[in-house]
Amino acid sequence: MAETTRDTGAVEPTSGQRAPAEQQRWQVVPAPVPPPRGAHRLDLRTTIAIDLGRLAAAMSRRLGMGSGAMIGGRLALSLQPQALRRLAVGRRVVMVTGTNGKTTTTRMVAEALRSRAPAVSNATGANMLDGHVAALMTQPNAPFAALEVDELHLAQVTAQFEPAVILLLNLSRDQLDRVGEIRTVAESLRRALAEAPGARVIANRDDPNIVFAAAEHPGVTWISGGSRWKGDALNCPRCGAFLGDADQDWRCECGLARPEADWTVTAGAAVAADGTRRELDLALPGQVNRVNATFALAAAGHLGCDPNAAVQRIQRITQAAGRYGTVRLAGRPARLLLAKNPASWLEMLDLVSAEHQPLVLVVNSREADGHDVSWLWDVDFELLSGRPVRVAGDRALDLAVRLHYAGVRATVATTVDDALTGAGDGVPDVIANYTAFRDLLARSRS
Amino acid sequence: MRDRVRLALVLPDLLGTYGDRGNAIVLAQRLKWRNIDSETVTVLSSSEAVPESCDLYLIGGGEDVAQVAAVRFLRRGRGLGGPVDRGVPVLGICGGLQVLGTSFVTGDGARHEGLGFVDADTEPGDGRAIGEITTQSTLLGVGMLTGFENHLGRTRVGADSRPLGRVARGVGNGHDSAEGAVRGHVVCTYMHGPVLARNPRLADLLLEWAIGEPLEPLPDPPELRALRAERSKPHVRNRK
Ligand SMILES: [Zn+2]
């Protein structure tokens, strides 16, 4: 990766096509004054589109049709197709994409940025263009934005404007009957980055598909935190040759190779290539969140945030859109964990294996989950061997059969409440896939 | 009977998109529950060629490019011809059906020759067939088969082979109410699930072919009986 510039934090000026006026922000000690205000004059059409969008959002809220954000964003975008580009002018936008961890990492980025100046965010997971417009509309003057974006939609974003920072977390199989195969997604990300040569890209060096997507970009910071799921990274994403273990250094005959890490995430800290340590004592559990936090810190550092202030804000986060939050269900506290594909199931199983709380697993297969649940067999449920587990959801029986073959004793419950009521003492961990998680969260809040 | 049954998981790095490893897990466990040792031999695309000495071969599904690469790989060395002639069972799922078949047409319109172990020609259909599928198996003693299908291909089974099942619900091959293809001990199907997890009789039939003698029956656990009952109900998509 000789052509890749290295960035170990907030310390280097970035070469490329930046305006001279912006260069003063790249200092070891961030400037004490907030970054330039996002304030800029919007053209008449965009102003009207935003006003009407906000009106629609307010009406939708009043009619009890949800937060209204999506409707407002959609309307504004239909009245002004350039709305995203116009709303992004004058701001530093961080785009977060990848199969897993988008919402949590976006939350971390937004919190970290707020140590320096106001930041808007689409924290509720509205991660396509209308969701971005809706988020940016809420505070047109906020200088920062942290936006999660669906993997296949980053290209549409970079076609409209160049984000300041792009985070590429990981790519793995997800919703097999709905979303394109991983190679297609990786290629779409690669094209998206080609449209944003001036952006700082922060990317996962332990995921060959991400390496493929980012390798040609001139400004990449590489994060290394290991990966449990390797089922989608056995072969070179560029040429198809066999790679082997993605956690080991690899170099393909086609030239694609595992880059050097700028930040390595250990059991308690993020360590820079020069040995600088940044302790990570997070309220959120697990290695997966230390990796997410390192991505967020690298982004915040690049945008001039004080690392200590940023890390303190990240450490205080206890949940992101309900993920990892402790809620009340069936009259007892329970911790909600989201797992929606083999990679995230492995992360969550790893997390709960380290603890010994009662365990409830919930699997649905509705439209938003994908109907095909054959991925259950890609997950090493053998990790739960010897632990009593209760299962629920549309696909409780498929899951129970999977657990039977994994040597795990599973009890099928009719509802999640029944499962929780029958679970043993302690605060149960509930691992649920997308619609199951969403419904449980909504119910716990009502 | 040999002391250890060797199960070949063929090219999971190319053809393993739909939980296809699950069929190997199921077979190994069903042997273990009968106190028969087994070994799963994972054959990656980095290998020289597919080994000839295994007792059962599992070939899963993948993308167009992977299928073409798999055919090329499986022609290396002496290929699967020897085992197939000896009656060693081969299970092909989805893309594996097309690889083991006579020919298939990829998304770019190109026709590719398959390995020809079953008489089955595949072309892309109008849209993806996605959903629960139930069939009555043509294999003796196997009965109802349940699975989940997720494929674009439509397959015609030729005179030299027969379907694995008759479709009661779902799409299957998309021709003549047929699903899958069988010739000798080569069994091909579009069913994910994976198919052997949901259909223990088929799993045991393959194992009996592999071992060459009958196996004592295993009781089905209640969750498996409930799953099969739930999925064989007509016109129920999901439990809500
Ligand atoms: Zn390569």
Side-chain angles (χ1 to χ4, degrees), chain A residues 173 176-178 181-184 231 234-235 240-242 365-366 371-375 377-380 382 392-398 400-408 410 412-414, chain B residues 12-14 16-23 25-26 29-30 33 44-46 62-63 128 130 132 148-150 192-194 196-198 200 221-224 226-227 230-231 237-240:
Chain A
R173 61 186 70 178
L176 295 173
D177 54 339
R178 292 177 2 109
E181 308 278 358
I182 293 149
R183 300 287 180 269
T184 315
L234 290 162
N235 294 72
F242 184 70
S365 65
R366 300 180 193 177
H371 296 302
D372 191 341
V373 292
S374 53
W375 56 265
W377 292 81
D378 287 327
V379 179
D380 293 323
E382 288 78 3
D394 300 341
R395 294 300 187 136
L397 291 172
D398 295 81
V401 170
R402 170 69 188 101
L403 290 168
H404 174 73
Y405 276 103
V408 178
V412 180
T414 319
Chain B
D13 55 327
L14 293 175
T17 309
Y18 299 104
D20 296 308
R21 188 179 69 110
N23 288 319
I25 296 174
V26 169
Q29 277 290 22
R30 296 188 74 78
W33 289 330
L44 294 170
S45 60
S46 54
E63 306 157 59
R128 266 188 112 71
I130 301 174
E132 290 290 328
F148 189 93
E149 59 183 333
N150 182 359
H192 309 158
L196 300 185
R198 290 205 195 175
E223 53 268 44
L224 182 52
L227 177 67
E230 181 182 286
R231 299 304 146 78
R237 190 176 175 86
N238 289 326
R239 214 157 54 111
K240 286 279 158 71

Side-chain angles (χ1 to χ4, degrees), chain A residues 236-241 243 250 252-256:
Chain A
C236 176
R238 187 188 280 164
C239 72
L243 288 183
W250 50 268
C252 183
E253 52 211 23
C254 74
L256 197 67

Side-chain angles (χ1 to χ4, degrees), chain B residues 155-216:
Chain B
T155 300
R156 277 184 196 281
V157 178
D160 216 15
S161 295
R162 62 183 161 134
L164 171 63
R166 292 286 165 202
V167 177
R169 171 185 167 212
V171 176
N173 292 357
H175 297 289
D176 314 321
S177 305
E179 199 291 315
V182 178
R183 183 164 71 185
H185 290 175
V186 180
V187 175
C188 299
T189 176
Y190 278 112
M191 288 188 178
H192 309 158
V195 65
L196 300 185
R198 290 205 195 175
N199 301 289
R201 299 293 86 75
L202 180 60
D204 286 352
L205 181 63
L206 291 172
L207 286 175
E208 288 177 347
W209 286 344
I211 292 169
E213 56 188 73
L215 289 164
E216 56 184 285

